[in-house]
């Protein structure tokens, strides 16, 4: 067992409701139960490269449980192995700053680093450990719920709540105006938010990245509803959904890091639906509303439990591991198991089958078999 006197903690990648719950539980337990100093590394790994840190006191983590975002700040441009440096003339260059990150870790007198992030952030943590010997412990995070090796991530439940509420609101206006309402939700490679909110919000069609769609069954569903006197439909689309044989729609691409901002697939579907059904169509892109704001109770509990378990891993010297929800238990798994592969929706899984049996269309059905129940 290693002697831990000072631990660093950072949040990387996109934020997720529940991050502050992790920071709070880990910092509180470390300071009050084990007399460990906790250093907040600001803005993800860029704080380690640029020495932006802040020693946390108990007062810093008081009252943050219901707060969205992360008190430590975050970025998805902080990879020390491909560090983006802004030059005086406004241009950018990419360099390997991982040795600087290692030096700064030592200068800060840290005994270990707890890294809270998605698969990209966890992959960086893993590399810092294998290539530079940094003792790291991981905590998985993403609203998309697509990290392998954990059953759930915090932030997902809040995102599903927000999207489900949006669907309830869209339902009433869709019905009043006899319109098709498209709700575009987050989910780059995995359609968990679309699937769960679609089921919770009584959607008629759910389009997810795991099931490439064709327009014919979607149009058939809208017609089936019209034919039984329901001239309105609710369609949930994950931002990463794409037509069979087609590509994902993205708004922009970061030239330096290659990061694509997805979004806009619904705007491509809307004119086709209008033309083929004769109904008016409206699009709502929910965007970062799903990520911001107060975490729901489930995410606060999961974040709190992850934070406590992460501290246990630190105290036991289980570096290179991350916490993971397995059933009802918070387990530990090697970080390697969570990177370079995603946890995707099984197109033949229970919830998809259940949705299909209710008549929900996923876009890969034979159009002449599409029914509207009731
Ligand atoms: O990975 C989480 C996520 O919320 C994705 O669903 C979404 O595509 C992305 O982050 C948006 O990231 P950004 O904050 O860079 O716009």
């Amino acid at each position: 067992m290693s002697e831990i006197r000072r631990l660093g903690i950072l949040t990387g990648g996109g934020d997720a409701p529940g991050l502050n719950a992790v920071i709070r539980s880990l910092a509180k337990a470390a300071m009050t139960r084990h007399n460990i100093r906790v250093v907040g590394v600001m803005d993800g790994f860029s704080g380690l490269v640029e020495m932006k840190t802040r020693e946390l006191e108990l007062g810093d983590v008081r009252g943050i449980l219901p707060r969205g975002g992360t008190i430590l700040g975050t970025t998805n441009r902080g990879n020390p192995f491909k560090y983006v440096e802004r030059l005086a003339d406004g241009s950018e260059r990419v360099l390997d700053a991982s040795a600087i990150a290692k030096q700064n870790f030592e200068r800060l007198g840290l005994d270990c680093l707890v890294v809270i992030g998605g698969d990209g952030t966890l992959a960086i943590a893993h590399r810092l450990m294998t290539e530079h010997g940094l003792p790291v412990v991981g905590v998985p995070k993403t609203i998309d719920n697509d990290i392998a090796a954990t059953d759930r991530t915090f932030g997902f439940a809040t995102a599903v709540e927000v999207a489900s509420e949006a669907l309830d609101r869209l339902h009433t206006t869709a019905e009043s105006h006899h319109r098709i309402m498209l709700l575009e939700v987050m989910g780059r490679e995995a359609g968990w938010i679309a699937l769960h909110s679609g089921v919770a919000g009584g959607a008629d069609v759910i389009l997810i990245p795991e099931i490439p769609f064709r327009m014919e069954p979607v149009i058939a569903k809208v017609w089936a509803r019209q034919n039984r006197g329901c001239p309105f439909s609710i369609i949930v689309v994950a931002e990463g959904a794409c037509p069979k044989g087609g590509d994902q729609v993205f708004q922009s691409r970061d030239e330096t890091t290659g990061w694509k901002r997805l979004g806009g697939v619904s705007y491509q579907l809307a004119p086709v639906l209008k033309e083929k059904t004769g109904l008016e169509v409206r699009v709502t892109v929910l965007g970062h509303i799903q990520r911001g704001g107060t975490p729901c109770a489930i995410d606060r509990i999961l974040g709190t439990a992850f934070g406590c378990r992460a501290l246990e891993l630190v105290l036991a010297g289980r570096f290179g591991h991350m916490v993971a929800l397995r059933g009802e238990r918070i387990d530990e798994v090697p970080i390697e198991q969570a990177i370079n592969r995603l946890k995707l929706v099984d197109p033949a899984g229970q919830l998809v089958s259940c949705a299909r049996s209710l008549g929900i269309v996923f876009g890969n059905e034979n159009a002449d078999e599409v029914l509207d129940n009731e």
Side-chain angles (χ1 to χ4, degrees):
M1 201 175 291
S2 27
E3 176 71 8
I4 304 291
R5 304 273 31 111
R6 251 169 106 75
L7 74 79
I9 177 168
L10 68 79
T11 51
D15 63 357
L19 279 170
N20 285 329
V22 183
I23 298 165
R24 171 180 173 270
S25 74
L26 187 133
K28 254 184 128 166
M31 290 185 225
T32 59
R33 303 274 164 210
H34 302 280
N35 206 21
I36 295 173
R37 304 299 307 165
V38 179
V39 177
V41 177
M42 309 306 290
D43 299 334
F45 287 109
S46 67
L48 203 54
V49 175
E50 296 173 20
M51 274 297 240
K52 290 181 290 180
T53 60
R54 150 182 172 205
E55 183 129 356
L56 297 180
E57 303 296 337
L58 271 181
D60 294 315
V61 296
R62 214 167 270 141
I64 66 171
L65 194 51
R67 259 172 70 182
T70 158
I71 60 162
L72 300 178
T74 188
T75 175
N76 39 24
R77 292 190 108 214
N79 183 353
F81 293 94
K82 287 184 183 168
Y83 206 69
V84 183
E85 191 182 43
R86 221 167 212 292
L87 304 175
D89 64 1
S91 63
E92 292 181 332
R93 70 170 179 145
V94 179
L95 66 149
D96 184 350
S98 58
I100 300 175
K102 154 92 189 273
Q103 267 170 25
N104 288 342
F105 175 87
E106 284 165 356
R107 276 174 61 199
L108 288 162
L110 298 177
D111 299 307
C112 75
L113 185 64
V114 175
V115 175
I116 314 170
D119 60 330
T121 303
L122 293 169
I124 296 167
H126 185 251
R127 257 187 99 176
L128 284 172
M129 194 187 78
T130 51
E131 294 179 28
H132 291 286
L134 251 65
V136 297
V137 161
V139 177
K141 161 250 55 159
T142 169
I143 67 161
D144 288 3
N145 196 37
D146 60 359
I147 299 185
T150 182
D151 290 352
R152 284 283 150 86
T153 42
F154 56 85
F156 172 64
T158 304
V160 170
E161 281 298 329
V162 171
S164 304
E165 194 201 329
L167 285 171
D168 290 346
R169 291 179 183 279
L170 290 172
H171 230 110
T172 58
T173 173
E175 191 166 4
S176 309
H177 284 266
H178 320 300
R179 285 172 171 161
I180 298 172
M181 290 292 186
L182 285 158
L183 178 69
E184 187 169 312
V185 298
M186 282 186 171
R188 298 181 74 77
E189 311 297 335
W192 294 108
I193 298 176
L195 175 62
H196 281 239
S197 64
V199 169
D204 305 299
V205 177
I206 301 174
L207 303 179
I208 59 176
E210 295 87 341
I211 305 179
F213 64 85
R214 287 175 290 102
M215 286 309 285
E216 293 77 14
V218 178
I219 292 159
K221 176 70 184 178
V222 175
W223 273 113
R225 287 178 54 77
Q226 289 206 69
N227 292 341
R228 76 159 172 93
C230 282
F232 72 95
S233 289
I234 304 289
I235 302 180
V236 187
V237 191
E239 62 183 353
C242 51
K244 197 165 192 269
D247 295 317
Q248 287 185 324
V249 179
F250 61 94
Q251 298 179 41
S252 61
R253 188 169 173 276
D254 185 322
E255 289 308 327
T256 317
T257 62
W259 171 256
K260 284 180 182 170
R261 270 189 68 208
L262 294 183
V265 58
S266 315
Y267 287 105
Q268 299 202 344
L269 305 185
V272 182
L273 285 167
K274 181 174 165 34
E275 189 203 325
K276 300 285 184 195
T277 66
L279 293 178
E280 281 192 320
V281 186
R282 294 291 184 268
V283 171
T284 302
V285 179
L286 210 46
H288 293 77
I289 290 182
Q290 293 156 97
R291 273 199 356 214
T294 193
C296 67
I298 287 176
D299 286 337
R300 295 183 203 188
I301 296 164
L302 188 57
T304 300
F306 272 6
C308 284
R309 189 79 176 97
L311 181 63
E312 285 174 16
L313 297 193
V314 166
L315 294 171
R318 302 291 292 153
F319 303 122
H321 287 71
M322 69 167 208
V323 301
L325 181 71
R326 298 286 183 94
E328 293 292 311
R329 277 189 55 76
I330 314 290
D331 254 335
E332 60 169 284
V333 295
I335 292 177
E336 268 172 297
Q337 285 187 14
I339 56 184
N340 301 323
R341 66 201 178 102
L342 292 172
K343 184 184 68 196
L344 301 177
V345 172
D346 176 2
Q350 261 189 344
L351 196 55
V352 174
S353 306
C354 162
R356 284 196 201 278
S357 67
L358 296 175
I360 297 176
V361 160
F362 286 85
N364 64 342
E365 301 80 357
N366 287 329
D368 49 10
E369 285 170 6
V370 169
L371 298 172
D372 195 48
N373 294 5
E374 288 177 52

